[in-house]
Amino acid sequence: MSDRLRLFAAGAASVVLVAVGASACGSDSQEGGTDPVPANAPAASTGASDLRALELAADWLVGNLNADGLLENTSAYQGKTSTSVNVGSSIDLVLGLSASGLLAQEATAVTDAVAQELPAYVGSGGELYSGPSAKALSLAVDQGRDPHDFGGLDLQARVEDSVATKSRIAGRLADQSEFGDYANSIGQSYAAAALAAVGSDRAESVTDFLLAQQCQEGFFRLAFAAKGAVEQGCDADDSLPAEQAPDTTALVAVQLAPLAEDDEQVQDALAAATEWLLAQQADDGSFADPENGTNSNTTGLAGWALLELGEDDAAARAAAWVRDLQVGQGGGSDEESLGKLAGETGALAYDEASLAEGREYGLADPLDRSPWVVAGVQAFPVLAAAPAAEESE
């Protein structure tokens, strides 16, 4: 999914290997010398990068797959606890592994398992969920599957069928469901990237509608205007407040990045999004969600987007902050500091509070474990940008 992320990680790994080799040969690098750097290494990787955190996170997440090869979600409602497969997070895991260049065989196996669960995820029996369909199409494209026959479904046709063609709302995704229409900018971004990748004639209108959801300040809003509204763009629509959540802008930016090379409008949109994201980053490298405060999921997504957008230093600061919440890294490594998180090396806590609770109570209860998994699958790719531990102290 991300050539830039793969290049960054590969360059960083090369630096680490060179540094290790130089040290074994008696290099004076720790005395102020300079380790050689591959010519193709990204700028921010000229200092040793810490890919161990990325690998630990990926291993922990894969270790949470159930017997069918999918992640699960456990929730409680009115005193009753229920567990179900989490297809969306399973897709996030595959896309993250692919972007990071890790565990290709495991990613293939999860993709196969997702294919078996597609009807319920994307809608069946006359139901068509546009966002999930677009996300599933993105998975198919990323993993080299047939977009016309994945899990027995023609995903490209499903996504194209969810795209409006009337001039006022041309390009807008819409659910076809008795439960209502929950289409939003995140699903729209998956559709824009996936349809462009498969050469769909709907790609341009979908991308144009997505770009219209970018507000003057540079962020992308999540919700669309009412279908009956004359104006469908963010700045022309005052029918609802635009929540300024870094998560939404980051997810959109990650999907739009591959389209920028040949599209000046996308380039301009990403430049504005970059400026807005940089302005949201706290001095310690973190990002905050308006409703949920500072957390690893928001910070990881924003950092991943900034890495895709060429802001390597900002991405590294976000990665260092996320790593500080990782079990076995900043979140503790000795038995005393781990507490009941012993055996959970690589897990990413949502925030400081969840890390403290994990140390005290552990993650044996699926209700406690699920939030760590859901947050981790979207946060862990930023760890490709994590600087060497000594550089982040």
Side-chain angles (χ1 to χ4, degrees):
M1 185 173 73
S2 166
D3 291 338
R4 175 170 172 74
L5 193 70
R6 292 192 187 100
L7 174 62
F8 190 98
S14 299
V15 176
V16 173
L17 290 173
V18 169
V20 171
S23 176
C25 296
S27 168
D28 64 354
S29 62
Q30 294 185 5
E31 300 298 326
T34 303
D35 292 330
V37 177
N40 65 341
S45 66
T46 54
S49 296
D50 180 12
L51 292 182
R52 179 64 174 158
L54 177 69
E55 294 164 351
L56 287 173
D59 286 341
W60 183 84
L61 288 164
V62 167
N64 281 273
L65 295 168
N66 66 12
D68 294 324
L70 294 168
L71 296 174
E72 296 180 336
N73 183 63
T74 300
S75 58
Y77 180 69
Q78 295 183 343
K80 295 183 179 181
T81 299
S82 63
T83 297
S84 59
V85 295
N86 190 334
V87 177
S89 287
S90 298
I91 294 175
D92 286 330
L93 174 59
V94 175
L95 296 180
L97 291 175
S98 178
S100 306
L102 296 174
L103 305 178
Q105 289 185 337
E106 287 80 355
T108 296
V110 176
T111 302
D112 291 339
V114 166
Q116 300 303 311
E117 297 290 334
L118 276 185
Y121 179 65
V122 303
S124 60
E127 296 278 304
L128 195 167
Y129 311 139
S130 60
S133 295
K135 190 170 182 177
L137 179 59
S138 293
L139 173 68
V141 169
D142 181 83
Q143 292 294 298
R145 304 301 177 91
D146 185 349
H148 295 293
D149 185 13
F150 181 51
L153 299 176
D154 187 338
L155 286 177
Q156 181 175 337
R158 288 182 66 85
V159 175
E160 290 174 340
D161 286 346
S162 73
V163 178
T165 56
K166 294 181 179 179
S167 59
R168 180 172 45 78
I169 57 173
R172 172 175 171 153
L173 262 62
D175 294 339
Q176 299 170 20
S177 171
E178 63 176 307
F179 303 108
D181 183 6
Y182 296 94
N184 58 43
S185 293
I186 294 175
Q188 190 84 20
S189 70
Y190 282 113
L195 291 177
V198 299
S200 170
D201 59 7
R202 299 288 176 89
E204 184 176 358
S205 66
V206 169
T207 301
D208 288 345
F209 190 87
L210 174 62
L211 295 180
Q213 307 315 306
Q214 186 173 35
C215 304
Q216 185 175 3
E217 295 88 343
F219 67 90
F220 282 84
R221 65 177 181 178
L222 177 62
F224 297 153
K227 288 182 181 177
V230 175
E231 299 293 346
Q232 292 287 307
C234 179
D235 292 326
D237 173 37
D238 58 3
S239 64
L240 74 166
E243 182 183 33
Q244 301 187 34
D247 308 60
T248 301
T249 299
L251 281 165
V252 171
V254 169
Q255 294 304 314
L256 280 179
L259 308 183
E261 183 176 354
D262 301 319
D263 192 321
E264 290 187 6
Q265 282 187 301
V266 173
Q267 292 172 18
D268 292 342
L270 289 178
T274 300
E275 185 175 352
W276 184 83
L277 283 170
L278 288 172
Q280 309 310 305
Q281 189 171 31
D283 291 342
D284 62 2
S286 66
F287 288 80
D289 176 83
E291 295 185 358
N292 300 302
T294 303
N295 64 82
S296 62
N297 186 254
T298 299
T299 301
L301 283 171
W304 181 5
L306 288 171
L307 182 56
E308 296 288 351
L309 296 169
E311 297 292 338
D312 297 342
D313 291 338
R317 291 195 296 117
W321 190 90
V322 170
R323 185 180 57 194
D324 282 344
L325 293 175
Q326 186 176 34
V327 178
Q329 297 290 296
S333 56
D334 60 274
E335 185 173 345
E336 183 178 352
S337 64
L338 286 175
K340 291 188 177 180
L341 287 174
E344 304 289 357
T345 299
L348 293 173
Y350 185 71
D351 54 21
E352 288 286 354
S354 65
L355 181 61
E357 291 173 359
R359 287 170 175 155
E360 183 174 358
Y361 302 109
L363 302 179
D365 187 335
L367 278 173
D368 295 327
R369 180 175 293 270
S370 287
W372 288 60
V373 174
V374 172
V377 291
Q378 291 188 328
F380 87 95
V382 75
L383 294 172
E390 62 270 21
E391 293 180 12
S392 63
E393 294 176 352

